[in-house]
Amino acid sequence: MTASSKTHILFDLDGTLVDTRAAVTECYSIVFREELGSPFPPPGFPVGELFAMRPPEVFASVAPDKVEVLHAAYRAAYPRCASLVKVFAGVRDLILGLRQSGRKPSIVTNKGLERTLIDLKVADIPADAFEVIVTAEDTIDRKPHPAPILFGLDKAGADASDAIYVGDGPQDVLAARAAGLDAVAVTYGFYASETLAQLEPDHLVDDVASLAQALGVTTPAEVAG
């Protein structure tokens, strides 16, 4: 089956559907300033790896004795930064176009549920447009482990042969492959095209319009026209 014929399209969130770079950076800045009395990023912090790291990993690298406290502060601060979340142009129509055509989009993310729902609300993407939403609370293992994707398939009643995973990072391609799904890698997110190309995803696309074409989506706007 080609990407355009598969019923279940599972999406990563950050860097794939929404651009949270400014929101996440501001949230870390608040936590570092208010909880640690220091600026973010601290000296020597690998800024280029920030969006590949989960908050507990970030905090463990700078204050391993305060990870739980800092993570709680991060979750509490995130709503203050939510206005900085942006939806990638065309994504909302892409999701609604999939749903309108009878196909079943879902989200499988390493992010927590509360922040996932905040992002969708700010981006004006209805949560009920997704067949299932799998977040950090659902599985112990995280991508690149296949567990979150396998959980999403089971929850959606889907077979891997009729599903595809879309993400912007190496962990997304690796998780999809390990779960038995074809992978679509998008280069407009947080990772360089060269990094993704080395993993040889089944599809490599540079913008949302190309993603829609690869998935065979007719958006609501195109239907109306």
Side-chain angles (χ1 to χ4, degrees), residues 13-14 18-20 23-24 27 74-87 107 109 111-127 130 133 135 137:
L13 180 64
D14 295 77
V18 294
D19 184 352
T20 54
V24 168
C27 195
Y74 181 91
R75 293 193 300 268
Y78 194 79
R80 296 160 59 184
C81 310
S83 63
L84 298 174
V85 174
K86 305 296 181 186
V87 63
I107 289 176
T109 175
K111 198 170 199 169
L113 178 61
E114 181 180 11
R115 286 178 290 130
T116 294
L117 294 178
I118 289 172
D119 290 348
L120 292 177
K121 183 176 181 180
V122 174
D124 194 29
I125 303 174
F130 298 97
I133 296 177
T135 59
E137 294 85 356

Side-chain angles (χ1 to χ4, degrees), residues 18-165:
V18 294
D19 184 352
T20 54
R21 281 172 283 202
V24 168
T25 302
E26 177 62 17
C27 195
Y28 280 123
S29 297
I30 290 172
V31 174
F32 272 67
R33 182 174 65 251
E34 296 183 356
E35 301 295 329
L36 298 174
S38 63
F40 180 80
F45 184 83
V47 177
E49 299 176 17
L50 177 62
F51 295 100
M53 301 171 71
R54 295 184 289 275
E57 295 170 338
V58 172
F59 298 130
S61 72
V62 295
D65 58 329
K66 297 182 177 180
V67 173
E68 291 187 9
V69 170
L70 295 175
H71 193 198
Y74 181 91
R75 293 193 300 268
Y78 194 79
R80 296 160 59 184
C81 310
S83 63
L84 298 174
V85 174
K86 305 296 181 186
V87 63
F88 289 109
V91 159
R92 185 176 186 277
D93 279 350
L94 170 64
I95 299 301
L96 296 181
L98 284 168
R99 178 59 76 178
Q100 186 179 52
S101 67
R103 297 167 75 190
K104 299 178 179 181
S106 293
I107 289 176
V108 177
T109 175
N110 284 342
K111 198 170 199 169
L113 178 61
E114 181 180 11
R115 286 178 290 130
T116 294
L117 294 178
I118 289 172
D119 290 348
L120 292 177
K121 183 176 181 180
V122 174
D124 194 29
I125 303 174
D128 62 6
F130 298 97
E131 191 73 8
V132 300
I133 296 177
V134 177
T135 59
E137 294 85 356
D138 291 310
T139 62
I140 295 173
D141 295 305
R142 306 282 182 262
K143 297 176 298 180
H145 195 283
I149 292 178
L150 293 173
F151 182 86
L153 290 175
D154 183 66
K155 192 174 179 181
D159 188 270
S161 64
D162 192 24
I164 193 164
Y165 190 71

Side-chain angles (χ1 to χ4, degrees), residues 174-186:
L174 294 171
R177 186 170 294 147
L181 276 67
D182 287 351
V184 178
V186 303

